[in-house]
Amino acid sequence: MSRMARLALLYGILIGVSVQAPAQEQLPLFDAHMHYNVEAWAVIPAPKVIALWRKVGIRGVLATSRPNDGTLELMAQQAPDIQIVPFLRPYRVQPDRHDWFNSKGVEAYVEKELKRGIYRGIGEFHIFGADADAPYMASIARLARDRGLWLHAHSDEDAVERILRHAPGVKLIWAHTGMNTSMDKVEQMFAQYPNIVGELSYRSDLEENGTLNPRWKQLMLKYPDRFVVGTDTWVTPRWSEVEKLAAFYRRMLSALPRDVAERIAYRNGMAMFGLKHAGDVRSK
C-alpha cells in the first residue's frame, strides 16, 4: 500500500472514530425560579412542560404558580426523572403582587394553602424597601424560619435586609440576586448574610464578551454553594425561551471549574432540599 493510501486510510479511521464518539453529556440543571401561571396552562399543558424539561436536561424544579393549582398539576404528572419542589406563592391573582403583604384575603389564602403540608418554601413574592416592615411580612419571615421553610424574595437589598432582621437565620433565595443591585453590594450581602442564596435569572451583567463576567466568576468561586439558576417563566412567552436559557447557563458555567459549574447548575438546588442528584452525569 502506498504512503498516500495509508494516510487516506488513517484519516478515514480517525474521521470514523470522531463521528462515532459519544457527545459529551450536557450538564443537568435545577431550575430554581419557575412559574406555571394560569395564563400558560392552555398554551403549554403540564405534560408538555415535563417533556420540555426532559428535553433541555432540567432534572429538578422549584415550582411556583399563580394560583398554586399549577404547581399541583405539575406534581400530579409524577415524572420519575424530574424532582419537583413546591413553593407556596401568596398570589391568587396578578394584582396581589402589589399589596399581598397588606391583604387579609392573601393572609387567609396562605393559611389555607399551608395546611396542605407539602410546601418547602414561600414565594416568589415581590416586596421592596420599607414595605418589608409590614407586620404580615415579618410574620411570614418568622413562620418560615420556625418551620424550616425557605423564602423566595424578589426584592431590593433594603427589603432583604429588613426581612432578615425580622427573622434572623431564615433561609432566603434572592430572586435575580437583586437584579440591579451593584456587584459591590451583592458581595457585601453575601459576606454579611450566610443564609442568602442568589438566583441568577435576569442578571444582565452575568455575561461579558460572550463569557462569564470575571467579577461574577470571582464571586462564584468564592461562594460556590450559594448560587442557583432559573428560567423565570413569569409570562407565557418566556416558555418558548427555556431551551435558549438552558444553553445560556451552560455556556456561562463552562467558564468555571467543572465541580463549581455542577454545584451552581444543579447540585446546590438539590442539596438545599435534600434531594438525590437525579441525572448526575458523574454517577452514570
Side-chain angles (χ1 to χ4, degrees):
M1 183 183 295
S2 69
R3 180 172 181 273
M4 289 298 294
R6 288 196 300 271
L7 288 174
L9 177 62
L10 178 60
Y11 181 75
I13 292 171
L14 290 175
I15 290 293
V17 168
S18 64
V19 168
Q20 296 170 24
Q24 185 177 9
E25 294 185 72
Q26 64 183 3
L27 196 63
L29 297 176
F30 182 95
D31 187 346
H33 192 152
M34 188 285 306
H35 305 297
Y36 188 48
N37 294 328
V38 61
E39 299 86 357
W41 298 353
V43 177
I44 180 166
K48 289 189 176 181
V49 172
I50 299 296
L52 175 61
W53 288 340
R54 196 168 280 139
K55 177 183 178 183
V56 302
I58 291 174
R59 297 292 176 248
V61 181
L62 192 166
T64 75
S65 65
R66 171 186 40 80
N68 290 289
D69 303 69
T71 295
L72 302 178
E73 180 62 24
L74 291 172
M75 295 176 69
Q77 302 306 304
Q78 297 184 326
D81 55 334
I82 298 173
Q83 302 186 69
I84 295 178
V85 179
F87 267 41
L88 192 169
R89 198 167 203 209
Y91 301 169
R92 303 157 299 175
V93 293
Q94 176 69 3
D96 280 343
R97 68 179 288 174
H98 304 296
D99 66 350
W100 69 272
F101 46 88
N102 283 322
S103 168
K104 291 298 182 183
V106 166
E107 189 171 348
Y109 176 67
V110 169
E111 184 178 351
K112 180 181 177 181
E113 284 293 305
L114 282 171
K115 290 178 180 177
R116 294 184 187 275
I118 64 170
Y119 296 110
R120 306 294 302 276
I122 299 172
E124 178 208 20
F125 53 77
H126 298 72
I127 199 160
F128 301 95
D131 282 344
D133 283 338
Y136 187 52
M137 179 70 261
S139 175
I140 283 288
R142 289 191 289 268
L143 179 149
R145 180 196 59 195
D146 296 345
R147 298 192 186 187
L149 302 175
W150 285 82
L151 297 177
H152 189 182
H154 182 140
S155 305
D156 55 10
E157 58 270 27
D158 182 17
V160 168
E161 291 187 297
R162 291 171 190 264
I163 291 170
L164 296 177
R165 285 198 294 271
H166 293 316
V170 68
K171 300 175 292 186
L172 186 141
I173 299 169
W174 194 8
H176 320 298
T177 316
M179 190 176 286
N180 299 314
T181 302
S182 73
M183 289 298 297
D184 286 342
K185 184 61 177 179
V186 169
E187 186 155 14
Q188 177 192 329
M189 295 276 284
F190 269 65
Q192 186 173 355
Y193 304 109
N195 45 329
I196 288 178
V197 170
E199 184 271 317
L200 296 169
S201 65
Y202 280 104
R203 277 297 317 204
S204 60
D205 57 352
L206 199 61
E207 181 178 19
E208 184 176 292
N209 299 322
T211 190
L212 184 62
N213 181 326
R215 187 76 186 276
W216 274 105
K217 181 176 181 178
Q218 181 184 33
L219 197 60
M220 291 173 182
L221 290 172
K222 186 174 183 180
Y223 300 107
D225 298 324
R226 294 178 59 190
F227 289 101
V228 290
V229 301
T231 59
D232 191 12
T233 48
W234 66 287
V235 289
T236 305
R238 184 83 166 170
W239 281 99
S240 66
E241 301 179 25
V242 168
E243 189 167 1
K244 180 176 69 175
L245 291 166
F248 169 78
Y249 283 128
R250 291 186 176 106
R251 182 160 55 86
M252 292 302 101
L253 296 177
S254 69
L256 296 166
R258 178 69 182 193
D259 64 321
V260 176
E262 287 184 356
R263 292 185 200 182
I264 296 171
Y266 72 103
R267 289 184 181 278
N268 290 345
M270 294 291 192
M272 286 161 60
F273 303 104
L275 305 179
K276 296 179 180 178
H277 293 158
D280 189 337
V281 296
R282 296 194 306 185
S283 66
K284 292 182 177 179

